[in-house]
């Protein structure tokens, strides 16, 4: 795939969308930290209350993706993305207002988390399908490099920003600024003026499960989905046990532990910046395989790391840096591959199916990680999670995928059909509908 340089300079509409997207993902990271802090620090809620708020923000990923993808497929996305941002802003603004009015409660925070989580599902599925209408296919790699880069930067800086705002203003007032960030995102997305293609008319025969079928029938997407689902479940097993293993069992201070984990974000950011260069030089499939070797293989070392204190933190940071670098490359290539392989008329629907399969495993992974850590110990939990990450790469190492030079080679073959004879007024008579 040949990608022209300077997409953000050349394409004003994408630049505006990207600016809105960047503000939006920063807001998402701040919300994920600030809402539980409001429950804990402002309301004095215990672990159950904090967990309820955190879980509420995640629940929409389990029951909404298929519905949202099906609904979005036949609608223009830009206006819906703007509405999703406005809904998130309004929901978050309710927290400081309720705090000032003296009516803030944990049930209200749960409702806010559910609303923000649901609107985020709509925004993320919609933006995946919207980007290909903003840029040419040859620029999709550069577009995803830009959006994944800002997403990664938000993941690195968002939690720290949330903590700083909560320390400076208090958790509830900090959410007022977060609400403003979503309004800024809405303005950025609305600033893109390139007309969207007319959505395809709904097909009454298209069932809501079509998004799952679109992923299942394509061998490349099937392998990618299997990899992502196994990876996400295993990552939860690893994360749940890593805190106990490093901080409680190995005596690593929380500050050093946090710094070590932040190396993953730094590595991922570097990976996004270099992903297209590697793909152009070594081929898409080989670069993908190499990236997965780093992102899924390096964590196997965590359970074997020696030392304590700064030495352990440094070793853990090195593992996280290398693993994150591979993950950053893989994320850019994954999104681009899905956008190019899938027909334009099924991007939203198929992304809903993909999101359900790859996000639905998160609570299962967390639960399994807790059971493993409780019964066999945190070190075993870390080792099992890391082994699961390595196992997740297996579906992506097939010869079919490794031999890809460009992502468009993974498109389904186009079946040539005879041209129908001209009808009245030069109109073509439609041939029988094919697959």
């Amino acid at each position: 795939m040949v990608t022209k340089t300077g997409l953000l300079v050349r394409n004003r509409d994408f630049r505006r969308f990207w600016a809105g997207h960047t503000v939006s993902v920063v807001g998402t990271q701040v919300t994920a930290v600030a809402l539980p802090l409001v429950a804990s620090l402002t309301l004095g809620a215990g672990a159950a209350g904090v967990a309820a708020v955190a879980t509420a923000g995640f629940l929409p990923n389990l029951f909404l993706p298929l519905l949202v993808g099906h609904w979005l497929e036949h609608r223009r996305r830009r206006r819906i993305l703007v509405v999703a941002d406005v809904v998130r802003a309004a929901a978050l603004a309710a927290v400081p207002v309720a705090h000032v009015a003296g009516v803030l409660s944990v049930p209200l925070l749960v409702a806010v988390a559910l609303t923000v989580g649901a609107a985020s599902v709509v925004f993320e599925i919609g933006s995946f399908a919207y980007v290909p209408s903003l840029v040419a296919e040859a620029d999709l790699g550069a577009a995803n490099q830009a959006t994944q880069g800002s997403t990664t930067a938000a993941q690195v800086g968002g939690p720290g920003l949330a903590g700083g705002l909560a320390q400076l203003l208090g958790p509830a007032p900090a959410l007022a600024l977060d609400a403003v960030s979503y309004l800024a995102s809405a303005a950025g997305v609305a600033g893109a003026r390139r007309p969207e293609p007319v959505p395809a008319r709904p097909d009454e025969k298209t069932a809501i499960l079509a998004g799952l079928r679109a992923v299942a029938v394509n061998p490349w997407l099937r392998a990618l989905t299997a990899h992502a689902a196994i990876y996400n479940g295993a990552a939860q097993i690893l994360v749940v046990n890593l805190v106990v293993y490093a901080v409680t069992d190995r005596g690593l201070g929380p500050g050093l532990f946090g710094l070590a984990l932040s190396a993953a974000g730094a590595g991922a950011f570097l990976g996004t910046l270099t992903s297209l260069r590697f793909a152009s030089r070594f081929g898409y499939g080989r670069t993908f395989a190499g990236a997965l070797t780093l992102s899924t293989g390096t964590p196997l070392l965590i359970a074997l790391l020696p030392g304590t204190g700064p030495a352990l933190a440094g070793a853990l940071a090195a593992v996280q840096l290398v693993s994150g670098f591979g993950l950053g490359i893989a994320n850019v290539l994954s999104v681009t591959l899905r956008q190019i392989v899938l027909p334009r008329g099924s991007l939203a629907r198929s992304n809903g199916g993909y999101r359900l399969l790859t996000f639905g495993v998160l609570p299962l992974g967390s639960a399994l990680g807790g059971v493993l850590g409780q019964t066999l110990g945190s070190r075993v939990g870390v080792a099992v999670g890391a082994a699961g990450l390595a196992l997740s790469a297996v579906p992506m190492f097939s010869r079919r995928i490794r031999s890809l030079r460009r992502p468009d080679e993974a498109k389904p073959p186009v079946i040539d059909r005879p041209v129908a004879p001209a009808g009245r007024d030069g109109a073509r008579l439609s041939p029988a509908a094919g697959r």
Side-chain angles (χ1 to χ4, degrees), residues 238 241-242 244-245 249-250 302-305 372-373 376-385:
L238 176 61
N241 287 280
L242 183 57
V244 178
Y245 176 64
D249 297 349
R250 301 289 298 275
I302 294 178
L304 305 176
L305 294 178
L372 287 172
L376 301 178
S378 61
R379 184 174 185 177
V380 173
V382 167
V384 170

Side-chain angles (χ1 to χ4, degrees), residues 20 23-24 27 31 85-86 88-90 92-93 96 173-188:
V23 177
S24 176
T31 300
D85 270 334
V86 172
R88 291 192 284 189
L92 289 174
L175 286 173
L177 291 180
D178 198 9
V180 172
S181 77
Y182 283 121
L183 293 178
S185 171

Side-chain angles (χ1 to χ4, degrees), residues 25 36 49 72 109 161 191 257 265 303 311 320 354 359 372 389 411:
V25 293
L72 278 172
L109 292 182
L161 177 60
F257 179 70
Q320 294 290 99
Y354 178 85
F359 279 61
L372 287 172
L389 293 183
K411 285 184 176 181

Side-chain angles (χ1 to χ4, degrees), residues 237-332:
I237 297 175
L238 176 61
V239 168
V240 164
N241 287 280
L242 183 57
V243 177
V244 178
Y245 176 64
V247 177
T248 304
D249 297 349
R250 301 289 298 275
L252 188 63
L256 287 176
F257 179 70
L259 287 175
L261 292 187
S262 67
F269 186 70
L270 292 175
T272 61
L273 295 181
T274 56
S275 56
L276 300 183
R277 186 178 305 170
F278 282 119
S280 176
R281 180 171 182 179
F282 300 108
Y284 212 84
R286 290 182 179 178
T287 300
F288 216 141
L292 292 181
T293 300
L294 296 179
S295 63
T296 68
T298 311
L300 289 169
L301 300 173
I302 294 178
L304 305 176
L305 294 178
T308 58
L312 175 60
L316 180 60
V319 170
Q320 294 290 99
L321 181 71
V322 174
S323 178
F325 180 75
L327 182 62
I329 295 175
N331 281 344
V332 173

